[in-house]
């Protein structure tokens, strides 16, 4: 995206940043590329779950030998691309020392945009097990803060019956450049009972082929990136936006071979109109991404009823109304069993923000909706998740005055704003049919922004 290139890497951008004492941010590895260096697997307690998942991915660990002896500091010799730590077998606190032994040398050896991925068991068991599980979170968050040059650390908790097949799409997402701006996060993978055949030999290039997915707010910004990214992955897109954005919407839809639907999502019959379009085309709806959102910022002391209601209605209540219609089995063109719902929250939904009570309420509400609906939809194989973007480089954030913008960009572990495609890639991960075990989760796409962490 031009904006970020211009801001950071143009001669003017570089000069201004240097004058302000700011270093040039690292360029992040994006897209489907894997790390360049070897993927090192460490399984201190002998669990084989991650080893099996890496094998399915065709990434059997190349484990360079860890040199822990002698006078010199321990190390891996050469640069490594990623360390994947299988901590699922850990049972007592003393075993955390083994994690230190593996991670300590990795902190220097890991390449730019490299990865630390910790896989632990979901919190369960006695006091010691629960403390240990939580300790992994502290390690992950801190490693993420200490890593440099665009390298990230994330933690995946797995439920007891999770198989390598269930873990596969998550491991692929984390190793690939698609997770470039996801850092210091933790989420859970549940057992989904998929067969090995469902993996179709590893990370499919077009995992959404044959699926129809509706994206709201698709005319510009993050929504446009979502529509383009999902179309790249094979989906047919129903691109939705308000009538005044009709021309931009039509351009996006034409570009990606999708269908444009001019619709205000707050219309009382919005859900019915989406379903009618799907039914009219004789197809099925496999997913919906609730991206449309607005801000109407005012300090609470000055916030009137109109600005309050507008934000809550567009950002939250409309989603709930549309979901109800699309989930009703009687709705022709509604969401199929095994379908996907993705909400777009915000880090403000976690941290709050002065001047944004209405927005924070709506975005926290999206998180609540995801957590509340996930268990109820499980029986139908429908997943519901959300992304919570941090500072993303869009036309909207480009309007923030330079100094404030620079500060906002850099108050995260990757020293830069994210790109709309980073949010889109995480949504693509949720929509992947192989990610059936990922539900009720909210992933922050924020480079480990300090707000609300
Ligand atoms: N840009 C960021 O840094 C950032 C950070 C956190 C969360 N978000 C969230 O990401 C989403 C997209 O943000 P963006 O920066 O691309 O915003 P944007 O303003 O550029 O795009 C929002 C789109 O939604 C559409 N829209 C608004 N109201 C609508 C309605 N009633 N019906 C249908 N469409 C409607 C708009 O016309 C527009 O095309 C929003 O939900 C926003 O809250 C953005």
């Amino acid at each position: 995206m031009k904006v970020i290139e211009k801001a950071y890497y143009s001669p003017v951008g570089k000069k201004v940043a240097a004058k302000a004492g700011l270093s040039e941010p690292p360029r992040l590895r994006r897209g489907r590329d894997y790390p360049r260096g070897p993927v090192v697997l460490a399984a201190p307690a002998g669990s084989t779950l991650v080893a099996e998942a890496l094998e399915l991915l065709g990434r059997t660990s190349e484990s360079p030998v860890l040199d822990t002896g002698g006078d010199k500091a321990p190390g891996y010799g050469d640069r490594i691309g990623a360390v994947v730590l299988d901590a699922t077998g850990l049972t007592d606190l003393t075993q955390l020392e083994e994690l230190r032994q593996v991670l300590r040398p990795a902190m220097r050896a890991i390449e730019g945009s490299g990865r630390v991925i910790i896989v632990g068991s979901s919190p369960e068991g006695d006091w010691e097990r629960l403390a240990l599980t939580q300790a992994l979170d502290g390690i992950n968050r801190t490693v993420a803060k200490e890593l440099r040059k665009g390298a990230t650390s994330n933690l995946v908790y797995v439920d007891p019956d999770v198989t390598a097949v269930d873990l596969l799409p998550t491991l692929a997402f984390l190793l690939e450049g698609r997770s470039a701006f996801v850092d210091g996060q933790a989420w859970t993978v549940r057992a989904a009972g998929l067969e090995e055949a469902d993996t179709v030999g590893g990370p499919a290039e077009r995992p959404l082929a044959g699926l129809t997915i509706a994206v709201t707010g698709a005319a510009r910004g993050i929504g446009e990136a979502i529509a383009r990214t999902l179309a790249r992955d094979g989906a047919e897109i129903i691109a939705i936006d308000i009538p005044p954005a009709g021309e931009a919407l039509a351009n996006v839809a034409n570009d990606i071979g999708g269908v444009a639907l001019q619709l205000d999502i707050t219309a009382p019959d919005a859900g019915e109109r989406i379903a009618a379009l799907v039914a009219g085309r004789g197809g099925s709806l496999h997913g919906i991404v609730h991206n449309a959102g607005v801000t109407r910022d005012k300090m609470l002391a000055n916030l009137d009823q109109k600005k309050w209601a507008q934000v809550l209605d567009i950002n939250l209540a409309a989603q709930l109304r549309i979901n109800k219609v699309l989930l009703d089995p009687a709705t022709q063109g509604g969401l199929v069993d095994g379908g996907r719902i993705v909400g777009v929250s915000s880090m403000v939904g976690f941290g709050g923000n002065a001047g944004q009570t209405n927005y924070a309420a709506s975005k926290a509400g999206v998180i609540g909706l995801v957590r509340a609906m996930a268990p109820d939809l499980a029986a139908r194989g429908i997943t519901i998740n959300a992304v919570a973007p941090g500072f993303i480089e869009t036309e909207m954030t480009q309007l923030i005055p330079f100094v404030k913008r620079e500060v906002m960009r850099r108050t995260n572990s990757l020293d830069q704003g994210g790109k709309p495609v980073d949010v889109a890639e995480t949504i693509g991960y949720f929509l992947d049919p192989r990610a059936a075990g990922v539900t009720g989760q909210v992933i922050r796409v924020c480079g480990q922004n300090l707000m609300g962490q």
Side-chain angles (χ1 to χ4, degrees), residues 19-31:
K19 262 203 168 149
L22 300 166
S23 58
E24 205 174 304
R27 282 178 197 263
L28 306 180
R29 171 170 56 90
R30 287 191 161 87

Side-chain angles (χ1 to χ4, degrees), residues 28-95:
L28 306 180
R29 171 170 56 90
R30 287 191 161 87
R32 293 197 175 273
D33 288 350
Y34 273 80
R36 282 188 308 281
V39 175
V40 179
L41 168 68
S47 164
T48 58
L49 176 70
V50 176
E52 287 165 27
L54 283 175
E55 203 174 318
L56 284 175
L57 270 181
R59 293 272 147 184
T60 312
S61 164
E62 294 151 54
S63 291
V65 179
L66 177 58
D67 174 10
T68 50
D71 299 331
K72 63 186 179 87
Y76 289 97
D78 283 323
R79 287 249 167 255
I80 52 174
V83 173
V84 191
L85 257 164
D86 186 338
T88 53
L90 301 191
T91 50
D92 73 80
L93 287 169
T94 58
Q95 291 171 302

Side-chain angles (χ1 to χ4, degrees), residues 216-224 226 240-245 248-249 261-267 290-296 310 313-315 318-319 344-348 359 362-363 387-397 418 420 423 445:
T216 69
R220 66 176 207 188
I222 294 173
E224 178 183 348
I226 295 168
I240 300 168
D241 214 302
I242 46 175
L249 183 70
L261 175 61
Q262 293 188 15
L263 172 71
D264 183 331
I265 57 163
T266 62
H290 294 290
N291 161 79
V294 296
T295 50
R296 299 283 183 269
Q310 218 174 19
D313 200 31
I314 296 172
N315 296 6
Q319 286 190 32
V344 176
S345 176
S346 162
M347 64 178 173
V348 172
Y359 187 72
S362 69
K363 294 300 183 179
V387 289
F391 183 90
I392 304 297
E393 305 282 356
T394 61
E395 282 155 51
M396 186 183 85
T397 48
V423 180
V445 185

Side-chain angles (χ1 to χ4, degrees), residues 43-357:
S47 164
T48 58
L49 176 70
V50 176
E52 287 165 27
L54 283 175
E55 203 174 318
L56 284 175
L57 270 181
R59 293 272 147 184
T60 312
S61 164
E62 294 151 54
S63 291
V65 179
L66 177 58
D67 174 10
T68 50
D71 299 331
K72 63 186 179 87
Y76 289 97
D78 283 323
R79 287 249 167 255
I80 52 174
V83 173
V84 191
L85 257 164
D86 186 338
T88 53
L90 301 191
T91 50
D92 73 80
L93 287 169
T94 58
Q95 291 171 302
L96 288 173
E97 161 59 15
E98 293 176 55
L99 266 57
R100 186 196 67 83
Q101 283 177 19
V102 173
L103 285 172
R104 181 187 168 194
M107 299 307 288
R108 290 219 176 88
I110 220 146
E111 68 186 28
S113 281
R115 299 283 189 264
V116 170
I117 302 168
I118 305 173
V119 181
S121 296
S122 293
E124 201 182 76
D126 60 21
W127 295 343
E128 185 160 4
R129 286 286 286 275
L130 291 173
L132 193 115
T133 306
Q134 197 64 38
L136 297 181
D137 193 47
I139 293 171
N140 175 51
R141 287 168 188 261
T142 309
V143 168
K145 285 181 179 169
E146 290 189 9
L147 284 170
R148 293 282 164 263
K149 296 188 185 139
T152 64
S153 178
N154 289 288
L155 167 62
V156 183
Y157 287 119
V158 292
D159 277 1
D161 298 330
V162 162
T163 64
V165 177
D166 296 327
L167 185 59
L168 179 118
T170 301
L171 214 49
F173 171 67
L174 283 171
L175 284 169
E176 290 176 22
R178 288 185 289 146
S179 61
F181 206 59
V182 177
D183 196 12
Q185 302 307 299
W187 67 94
T188 301
V189 174
R190 303 184 198 290
L194 294 180
E195 301 293 327
E196 196 167 318
D198 297 321
T199 65
V200 283
E205 291 295 312
R206 288 167 65 81
L208 307 180
L211 305 183
T212 299
I213 294 166
V215 180
T216 69
R220 66 176 207 188
I222 294 173
E224 178 183 348
I226 295 168
R228 289 186 187 281
T229 304
L230 302 184
R232 176 204 70 189
D233 285 355
E236 182 186 46
I237 301 298
I238 298 176
I240 300 168
D241 214 302
I242 46 175
E247 201 183 323
L249 183 70
N251 288 339
V252 173
N254 285 342
D255 250 18
I256 60 175
V259 184
L261 175 61
Q262 293 188 15
L263 172 71
D264 183 331
I265 57 163
T266 62
D269 62 346
E272 283 84 354
R273 287 194 46 199
I274 296 169
L277 180 88
V278 174
R281 294 168 56 81
S284 307
L285 186 66
H286 301 95
I288 179 156
V289 182
H290 294 290
N291 161 79
V294 296
T295 50
R296 299 283 183 269
D297 298 353
K298 281 275 176 209
M299 298 299 272
L300 187 51
N302 304 318
L303 185 59
D304 62 31
Q305 190 272 340
K306 194 173 162 208
K307 287 194 173 64
W308 178 263
Q310 218 174 19
V311 169
L312 277 162
D313 200 31
I314 296 172
N315 296 6
L316 180 60
Q319 286 190 32
L320 179 59
R321 283 195 298 269
I322 292 172
N323 285 348
K324 280 184 176 167
V325 173
L326 296 180
L327 285 167
D328 183 344
T331 304
Q332 288 238 337
L335 202 62
V336 297
D337 284 359
R340 300 278 186 270
I341 302 174
V342 182
V344 176
S345 176
S346 162
M347 64 178 173
V348 172
F350 287 94
N353 197 24
Q356 294 197 304
T357 337

